[in-house]
Amino acid sequence: MLFNSLDFGIFLPIVFSIYWIISSLGIRSQNIFLLGASYFFYGMWDVRFLILIFLSSTIDYIAGIKLETTDAPSKRKLYLFLSLSFNLGMLGIFKYYNFFLENFERTFSFFGLNLHGPHLNIILPVGISFYTFQTLSYTIDVYRKKISSTHDWIAFFSYVAFFPQLVAGPIERARHLIPQFTQKRSFNHQFAIDGLKQIIWGLFKKIVVANLCNNYVNDIFERHAQYSSITLALGAFYFGVQIYCDFSGYSDIAIGTAQLFGFKFMSNFEYPYFSRNISEFWRRWHISLTSWFRDYLYIPLGGSRTTQLKKIRNVWIIFLVSGFWHGANWTFVTWGALNAIYFLPLMLLSRNNAYSDTVSESKTLPNIQEFFQMLLTFSLVTFSWIFFRSENMGKAFSYISKLFSFNFKLDYLGIERYNFEAIPIILLFFVLEWSARLKRHPLQDSKFSLIKTVVIVLLIILLGSFIENSEFIYFQF
Amino acid sequence: MSQFLNFLLKLLAIVIICAFAIDTVITYSYPKLTARSHADWIFSLPPETSFDCIFLGSSRSSQHVIPKMIEEQTGKKCANFGYAASKPFEIKLTFMALRKRIHLKKVFIQIDQSWNISNPDVLAQSQWMPYIKKPEIQGYFKDLGNDYIVLSYIPLIRYSLNNPKIGVRNLFFKLVGKELDVIPSLGYSNSTHPFKNKKISEYEAEIHNIMNPHIKEIIDYCNGNQIQLFFYTAPFYKNTIDFSPFNSLVRDYHDFSREIPQNKFYLDPYHLNESGSKKFTQQIIDYYFKIHEEF
């Protein structure tokens, strides 16, 4: 069930109404109902997926209790190991097994050994990377004694499966979200109205901007050999806009939906394309995943409080793992490596924490230096997206070599549009984002908030692309 | 909760009122602005317009028949109202919209394996959406059932769902006066871009030996109104489809599908290039206008 589908348009009001009607019955009833609704939501993709999420929840729930009730380090390690093995094992089988097998086969065939292992004909359960990381945060935090285990299985299962963030995040930490399932939730109309506005803004990003860019991106990447450098540069630019609007649009809808039910999620994107260097970009992009890797991988490895050599090693690990998390393809690993290359000079020059504020906080427009810093950061990120978008390394290199052929002809695309036709809408989008960069989202309370919301709804209706294939990009991860 | 519902209702009410207003303005202005589609072209034809013959069909009509060449050689005024992806349902819409605007004498319909399709084509029908309430074609959309109700009565939905063809982009081009490029050539489209997804493997088709309901309506109307109707199949590159069922399904059918075998005349397996179109138009002239005694 997609957030931008009619099914969800029916599902959400029904679940919302029943949820608040039964609030008088107590928090447990609300949690049971949310759990049922979330399983229904997830089961709409494929009922078999429910088995996995149920097993993952059960194992982590039991592991949490066991970890708390024993003090013996060896036993605690065993419980942690069992939980990690199951979760990462499932992720490995469903997401990475065939990839590793193919690469082993290729490596052996390079040495003249033709080995063929059993390939699995399985589909990747939607959202497995997200909810696996979410449950892992719980087990690890209980192991580290940062949180107590929960004995309310309904609350825990609801935390794992909560439908707004189940399939593509934000990856919520147990210490932040589980307490919200155990506290009484009362309806706060301002909080809910703000949530509704954030949903509308997320839909605008997805249906208007991302879907529009999708038409151009698909054609330009698919037929890149026929197009000029300027068209390929635009193709990469469009994909940069598409992936941001697609993924942050999803996050906005998830955060807004959670607010309708009285939950507060962490922010997942904070205007990353207005970053002045790569380090700032990574503090503002997919925050829930970046901070997950920081807390559960980078810091345990020593983080930045270690020798220079180990710091470099840690940066490489974090970016490569982050790339690999996105998918079993060398293109994602290369994308991660490229970002590590961008990041390392900043770290070595101690410039990685240079910008902790928002750009041009007290001004309407950026100064020349800020503008060019943002442009450079955006260009570097956009270049790395070429690997992220390409189906394989061969196509990525082919795209890049054509991009640098310095042919500046303006092409007429295979979608009956000139290559610059999406620019006015993208410019409008960036102007709206820029003007709201100090807020959580552009429709957040302001003097003309209602009028702005009406205009955005009308723009969705008028400018939205409704008939194209519009699944969210991050569902595949 | 009441404050939330109050906000929601206020938001919905304003959006609906605005949507109705915008829908009314767009729909009212549509035929009055520059013609961007064949539907616009037809609905903006002046009442005194007259053609001796018209050609209907898909891009295999618009890309293949050159009306000005026929006029130069025969003195007969022709127009080509074929357009990309048009199937029997859209051919019927075109015919029925035209019959109210111009005096029809001779009508040529290009038929091929799309004969088997009775449903509307999502892209091809989209250009008719602004005119869905026009009496000439309203009935045919009503036949589609619930879709008609949704498309007619929910404001802006027909524009939103057909955004690639009749959305804001199209409105912008209408406002700046960018006319449908085939109007000056009376409907002949001299496209130099090969059409996408057209492969020879798509020839694996068998013509259903039953009458297409939309074509039947056209035939019935022509029979009752002294309009001469001719059917033909335009050339394919290396055609393998058996079009002989058309000989028993319709009167005055001619199969040109194998008439131009040379590769050099094709843009893609389905469509002729400019010299191919000239060659084919000459075949049309020779077959119908010079030999056929009715001309």
Side-chain angles (χ1 to χ4, degrees):
Chain A
M1 199 188 297
L2 300 174
F3 280 169
N4 53 333
S5 68
L6 186 62
D7 292 347
F8 189 73
I10 296 166
F11 171 83
L12 183 61
I14 293 172
V15 174
F16 173 79
S17 307
I18 298 172
Y19 175 81
W20 287 112
I21 287 168
I22 62 168
S23 64
S24 56
L25 299 175
I27 197 162
R28 196 169 167 80
S29 308
Q30 279 183 310
N31 286 348
I32 291 171
F33 177 70
L34 272 188
L35 179 61
S38 298
Y39 272 41
F40 174 80
F41 175 86
Y42 196 43
M44 288 284 282
W45 262 283
D46 194 323
V47 183
R48 290 170 298 178
F49 294 170
L50 292 175
I51 300 168
L52 269 184
I53 197 167
F54 180 79
L55 278 175
S56 178
S57 306
T58 307
I59 285 168
D60 287 308
Y61 175 71
I62 296 167
I65 292 171
K66 291 282 182 194
L67 279 167
E68 198 172 59
T69 51
T70 179
D71 283 326
S74 57
K75 278 194 173 176
R76 288 173 58 77
K77 275 187 183 160
L78 176 70
Y79 293 132
L80 178 68
F81 175 76
L82 288 174
S83 165
L84 293 181
S85 309
F86 177 80
N87 287 300
L88 295 177
M90 282 297 114
L91 198 58
I93 290 169
F94 282 96
K95 196 164 176 176
Y96 301 108
Y97 173 81
N98 284 339
F99 172 76
F100 278 118
L101 189 65
E102 280 164 20
N103 279 282
F104 275 124
E105 285 173 353
R106 245 180 254 160
T107 310
F108 280 112
S109 84
F110 181 76
F111 292 107
L113 290 166
N114 283 325
L115 297 178
H116 294 286
H119 283 251
L120 297 178
N121 187 19
I122 47 176
I123 49 166
L124 179 68
V126 179
I128 189 169
S129 306
F130 290 91
Y131 72 73
T132 300
F133 271 43
Q134 186 150 311
T135 55
L136 284 178
S137 83
Y138 169 77
T139 323
I140 297 169
D141 280 357
V142 174
Y143 174 77
R144 290 175 176 173
K145 298 187 176 175
K146 284 192 172 172
I147 56 168
S148 310
S149 70
T150 178
H151 291 253
D152 181 348
W153 73 270
I154 297 286
F156 182 76
F157 277 56
S158 304
Y159 152 73
V160 178
F162 191 29
F163 73 88
Q165 39 82 267
L166 172 60
V167 288
I171 302 166
E172 280 292 334
R173 286 321 127 68
R175 58 177 171 263
H176 180 233
L177 192 54
I178 290 180
Q180 296 188 54
F181 276 98
T182 54
Q183 287 161 9
K184 181 169 166 51
R185 297 179 291 272
S186 48
F187 189 80
N188 177 330
H189 79 274
Q190 278 173 337
F191 193 57
I193 288 172
D194 183 63
L196 187 67
K197 288 177 184 171
Q198 194 158 359
I199 293 173
I200 290 167
W201 180 243
L203 287 171
F204 175 78
K205 279 178 175 173
K206 169 64 183 163
I207 297 172
V208 177
V209 190
N211 285 2
L212 172 71
C213 290
N214 182 47
N215 296 321
Y216 292 85
V217 170
N218 285 349
D219 183 66
I220 295 171
F221 273 79
E222 192 183 316
R223 312 197 309 163
H224 66 267
Q226 299 172 22
Y227 293 137
S228 67
S229 304
I230 201 159
T231 302
L232 298 195
L234 270 171
F237 167 73
Y238 286 143
F239 183 67
V241 177
Q242 183 196 354
I243 193 160
Y244 169 58
C245 289
D246 193 285
F247 192 21
S248 71
Y250 176 90
S251 295
D252 283 330
I253 300 168
I255 293 166
T257 305
Q259 283 188 205
L260 292 179
F261 293 88
F263 288 87
K264 184 155 181 57
F265 281 175
M266 69 187 295
S267 182
N268 214 15
F269 290 87
E270 289 177 355
Y271 308 101
Y273 285 157
F274 301 139
S275 301
R276 285 152 290 184
N277 65 24
I278 285 291
S279 174
E280 188 187 4
F281 173 82
W282 279 105
R283 282 198 303 275
R284 293 173 175 274
W285 178 273
H286 201 175
I287 298 164
S288 64
L289 180 72
T290 313
S291 58
W292 196 101
F293 280 126
R294 182 197 63 210
D295 294 347
Y296 300 107
L297 190 62
Y298 186 66
I299 291 173
L301 286 169
S304 55
R305 290 177 185 174
T306 182
T307 63
Q308 198 76 313
L309 216 58
K310 281 188 177 169
K311 273 200 269 185
I312 295 169
R313 179 203 65 181
N314 294 347
V315 167
W316 274 106
I317 290 174
I318 207 92
F319 276 105
L320 291 179
V321 172
S322 174
F324 203 49
W325 176 90
H326 284 84
N329 195 326
W330 290 113
T331 52
F332 294 120
V333 179
T334 311
W335 168 76
L338 206 49
N339 276 281
I341 292 168
Y342 295 159
F343 184 85
L344 277 170
L346 293 172
M347 194 195 73
L348 295 171
L349 295 168
S350 301
R351 297 281 299 159
N352 51 325
N353 288 316
Y355 303 111
S356 53
D357 58 342
T358 301
V359 63
S360 308
E361 244 177 35
S362 52
K363 293 178 289 180
T364 311
L365 292 171
N367 60 36
I368 300 283
Q369 187 195 0
E370 287 168 336
F371 177 77
F372 280 102
Q373 283 174 325
M374 288 190 288
L375 191 65
L376 176 66
T377 309
F378 181 77
S379 305
L380 290 171
V381 171
T382 299
F383 181 75
S384 72
W385 289 132
I386 294 172
F387 287 96
F388 197 95
R389 174 59 178 76
S390 298
E391 286 158 43
N392 54 51
M393 292 298 288
K395 286 192 177 174
F397 284 123
S398 158
Y399 193 100
I400 290 165
S401 66
K402 196 84 208 294
L403 175 67
F404 289 104
S405 64
F406 302 108
N407 170 1
F408 298 109
K409 193 182 80 178
L410 283 179
D411 294 310
Y412 185 66
L413 305 179
I415 51 169
E416 296 179 4
R417 290 180 180 223
Y418 288 101
N419 41 21
F420 51 81
E421 280 184 28
I423 300 286
I425 290 176
I426 293 171
L427 274 179
L428 169 73
F429 166 72
F430 275 122
V431 168
L432 290 171
E433 285 252 302
W434 176 262
S435 64
R437 68 196 181 283
L438 297 173
K439 297 178 183 173
R440 284 186 301 104
H441 58 87
L443 301 181
Q444 202 182 333
D445 254 352
S446 69
K447 211 174 172 184
F448 304 106
S449 178
L450 180 65
I451 297 170
K452 268 194 201 170
T453 311
V454 169
V455 170
I456 293 296
V457 173
L458 289 171
L459 286 177
I460 293 172
I461 299 170
L462 283 168
L463 303 176
S465 305
F466 295 92
I467 60 169
E468 290 85 0
N469 178 14
S470 55
E471 191 156 285
F472 288 89
I473 295 173
Y474 263 68
F475 281 11
Q476 63 184 295
F477 307 135
Chain B
M1 183 60 91
S2 62
Q3 282 167 299
F4 175 75
L5 291 176
N6 191 26
F7 173 84
L8 195 63
L9 289 175
K10 214 186 322 180
L11 179 67
L12 277 176
I14 299 173
V15 166
I16 291 169
I17 291 166
C18 291
F20 266 114
I22 296 168
D23 186 290
T24 308
V25 171
I26 294 176
T27 308
Y28 175 77
S29 66
Y30 227 86
K32 293 177 172 53
L33 297 172
T34 314
R36 291 276 306 145
S37 69
H38 285 77
D40 295 347
W41 182 21
I42 291 166
F43 283 108
S44 62
L45 282 172
E48 67 276 14
T49 310
S50 144
F51 293 109
D52 294 306
C53 43
I54 60 162
F55 291 81
L56 304 177
S58 63
S59 56
R60 285 175 34 74
S61 169
S62 64
Q63 181 79 14
H64 291 175
V65 180
I66 308 170
K68 285 190 173 172
M69 188 174 152
I70 299 175
E71 192 176 344
E72 279 165 18
Q73 291 196 28
T74 67
K76 304 281 182 192
K77 202 176 168 199
C78 302
N80 189 337
F81 289 99
Y83 53 92
S86 176
K87 311 271 183 321
F89 177 77
E90 291 79 27
I91 291 173
K92 180 178 75 176
L93 290 182
T94 313
F95 176 83
M96 296 302 177
L98 276 167
R99 72 178 171 157
K100 291 273 174 154
R101 294 195 142 58
I102 57 176
H103 176 62
L104 295 173
K105 297 171 194 165
K106 293 179 175 62
V107 176
F108 293 79
I109 299 180
Q110 200 286 137
I111 49 175
D112 49 36
Q113 60 271 46
S114 68
W115 176 271
N116 298 342
I117 300 167
S118 297
N119 294 327
D121 181 274
V122 176
L123 267 183
Q125 69 156 352
S126 63
Q127 59 177 279
W128 297 95
M129 289 296 154
Y131 308 101
I132 197 168
K133 290 180 185 167
K134 289 265 185 191
E136 296 94 317
I137 56 169
Q138 188 180 30
Y140 307 116
F141 280 102
K142 274 185 178 170
D143 291 344
L144 301 176
N146 289 340
D147 282 1
Y148 174 77
I149 297 166
V150 171
L151 292 167
S152 298
Y153 297 110
I154 299 180
L156 290 180
I157 201 155
R158 61 189 190 273
Y159 295 104
S160 303
L161 294 177
N162 297 286
N163 199 356
K165 288 287 177 192
I166 58 166
V168 171
R169 172 185 182 268
N170 190 47
L171 203 60
F172 172 78
F173 283 125
K174 280 174 88 71
L175 284 166
V176 298
K178 196 168 187 290
E179 193 181 58
L180 177 68
D181 57 358
V182 299
I183 294 179
S185 57
L186 294 167
Y188 168 61
S189 163
N190 178 21
S191 174
T192 50
H193 300 283
F195 289 70
K196 280 205 292 184
N197 305 322
K198 296 294 183 195
K199 294 174 186 151
I200 291 178
S201 58
E202 289 176 32
Y203 287 178
E204 307 294 325
E206 194 180 317
I207 304 302
H208 296 171
N209 203 1
I210 47 170
M211 178 56 78
N212 182 290
H214 306 301
I215 301 293
K216 171 87 168 61
E217 284 184 65
I218 297 174
I219 293 171
D220 290 345
Y221 183 85
C222 289
N223 287 343
N225 291 277
Q226 288 81 49
I227 298 169
Q228 285 181 289
L229 192 53
F230 302 92
F231 293 92
Y232 69 96
T233 300
F236 284 98
Y237 180 61
K238 292 183 179 173
N239 174 44
T240 55
I241 304 173
D242 175 19
F243 291 113
S244 63
F246 287 142
N247 290 312
S248 56
L249 284 166
V250 292
R251 280 172 55 197
D252 290 312
Y253 170 73
H254 188 76
D255 183 4
F256 292 94
S257 65
R258 292 179 178 83
E259 300 282 319
I260 302 179
Q262 301 94 327
N263 186 25
K264 65 177 180 177
F265 290 114
Y266 286 88
L267 191 63
D268 63 45
Y270 270 54
H271 301 93
L272 296 164
N273 57 24
E274 191 180 3
S275 49
S277 305
K278 283 179 183 165
K279 190 174 170 65
F280 176 58
T281 305
Q282 191 59 53
Q283 288 177 351
I284 292 264
I285 294 167
D286 292 344
Y287 182 77
Y288 289 107
F289 294 82
K290 290 187 181 167
I291 299 167
H292 211 289
E293 59 185 23
E294 289 168 272
F295 286 79

